Amino acid sequence: MKQMNILLVCAGGMSTSILMKKLQAYSDSRGINDQIKAVGLSVYEDVYQDFDVVLLGPQVSYRMEEVQKTTNLPTASIPPLDYAVGNSESIFKLAEDILS
């Protein structure tokens, strides 16, 4: 596995910050040291340059086309169930799939 820099985007950055902690713990347990950051829609344009992939919370998935055009990065919406339960394995697979 190659290290990834994952940007999580939601409405305000609050719910994704909880998910970010779960994803970081999962990444650390795999010994890969991925960089994961959670931000709100209002600030993603200021930070996306440091990331490989953008994952959107389900509540902002309607903005995916705009985020993709703005960042020119692989972008996907996290499935609602994976998001709700913090399914780190599935979310990492999603990021790996859209990067390859």
Side-chain angles (χ1 to χ4, degrees), residues 7-100:
L7 182 62
L8 302 172
V9 179
C10 74
M14 297 307 279
S15 56
T16 50
S17 64
I18 296 164
L19 180 62
M20 175 188 73
K21 289 178 181 142
K22 279 187 149 184
L23 291 174
Q24 194 66 63
Y26 178 77
S27 171
D28 294 348
S29 76
R30 298 189 320 165
I32 298 175
N33 194 30
D34 298 292
Q35 299 300 309
I36 303 158
K37 182 174 178 90
V39 298
L41 268 174
S42 60
V43 289
Y44 81 90
E45 291 180 56
D46 299 331
V47 297
Y48 75 87
Q49 298 84 349
D50 299 330
F51 295 90
D52 305 313
V53 62
V54 179
L55 298 179
L56 300 177
Q59 70 275 41
V60 294
S61 60
Y62 68 96
R63 303 273 295 268
M64 184 155 66
E65 194 175 310
E66 169 202 330
V67 171
Q68 207 161 20
K69 280 182 180 160
T70 302
T71 64
N72 205 26
L73 292 172
T75 305
S77 178
I78 301 169
L81 183 59
D82 288 341
Y83 188 85
V85 299
N87 185 341
S88 299
E89 187 175 350
S90 181
I91 294 168
F92 266 96
K93 181 163 179 7
L94 173 65
E96 289 163 359
D97 289 350
I98 65 169
L99 261 176
S100 56

